[in-house]
Amino acid sequence: MTQPRDFWSRRKAAVQAETEAEAIAAEQQTIAAQQAELEEKSDAEILAEFNLPDPDQLQAGDDVSGFMAKAVPDRLRRRALRRLWRLNPVLANVDGLVDYGEDYTDAACVIENLQTAYQVGKGMLAHIEALAAEEDEPEIDAPEPVEEEEPAALAEPEPAPEPMALAAAEEPEDEPYTPAPRRMRFEFEG
């Protein structure tokens, strides 16, 4: 059972949260200032400042944890990780059993200058609206030719309508079809 905290304990927690937020903001400002300062320096100067080896000269078994510090720029961290991945055969040589090791993006198989009616967020909306507009427009064509009727002696009698066709014709088209609920059947093995 939890008891409601009194005013002073809530106030003390709020002051502590404010202090922590200020400390985090100050830390982020110092890191941002350091990053801006490091962006102006060359990679050799940064490596000398942090006493780190050249990431391209790393050997198998070398420690790369120094490159993982927040103060080290991303470009150096990525160079060190690329070298680590090339050196470690487990990371460098992916076996063929990886399920998602292939590139399954559309960019891998897109034809250059491919044009489509698909619009991001709208799908094929414009294409469908254009087709609907074409259907709504009355066709102004030449009158259809009148077919000559066959003589009564040569005309075949029309087949009698099937009962299913009559039942389908009697149903109103505006109502949506709702299937009857199914019964669940469970089989138990004894």
Side-chain angles (χ1 to χ4, degrees), residues 9-160:
S9 60
R10 287 191 311 255
R11 178 68 182 138
K12 184 177 178 181
V15 169
Q16 184 178 6
E18 288 177 13
T19 307
E20 290 174 0
E22 289 173 0
I24 290 172
E27 182 181 339
Q28 289 177 349
Q29 286 178 349
T30 57
I31 290 174
Q34 289 175 350
Q35 291 290 342
E37 191 176 298
L38 291 176
E39 291 296 325
E40 297 171 0
K41 295 182 180 180
S42 68
D43 289 348
E45 292 173 346
I46 295 170
L47 291 172
E49 182 179 331
F50 289 108
N51 196 23
L52 294 172
D54 184 20
D56 297 328
Q57 303 301 324
L58 290 174
Q59 298 299 320
D62 286 349
D63 186 25
V64 294
S65 61
F67 290 98
M68 301 302 133
K70 289 183 179 180
V72 176
D74 284 339
R75 65 181 187 266
L76 288 176
R77 183 178 304 120
R78 287 187 183 134
R79 281 177 52 195
L81 288 175
R82 282 189 192 121
R83 181 66 180 168
L84 173 70
W85 290 330
R86 281 190 225 121
L87 291 174
N88 190 341
V90 174
L91 299 174
N93 302 318
V94 178
D95 62 359
L97 301 176
V98 177
D99 290 337
Y100 301 105
E102 299 294 324
D103 185 11
Y104 292 104
T105 61
D106 285 341
C109 59
V110 170
I111 300 169
E112 191 173 325
N113 297 327
L114 177 70
Q115 295 181 354
T116 178
Y118 179 78
Q119 294 178 354
V120 177
K122 295 182 182 178
M124 304 283 275
L125 184 63
H127 180 67
I128 293 171
E129 287 176 349
L131 290 175
E134 288 177 7
E135 290 178 4
D136 291 343
E137 293 178 4
E139 294 184 17
I140 304 174
D141 291 335
E144 295 183 15
V146 179
E147 296 181 17
E148 295 181 16
E149 294 183 18
E150 297 181 13
L154 299 176
E156 295 180 18
E158 291 185 19

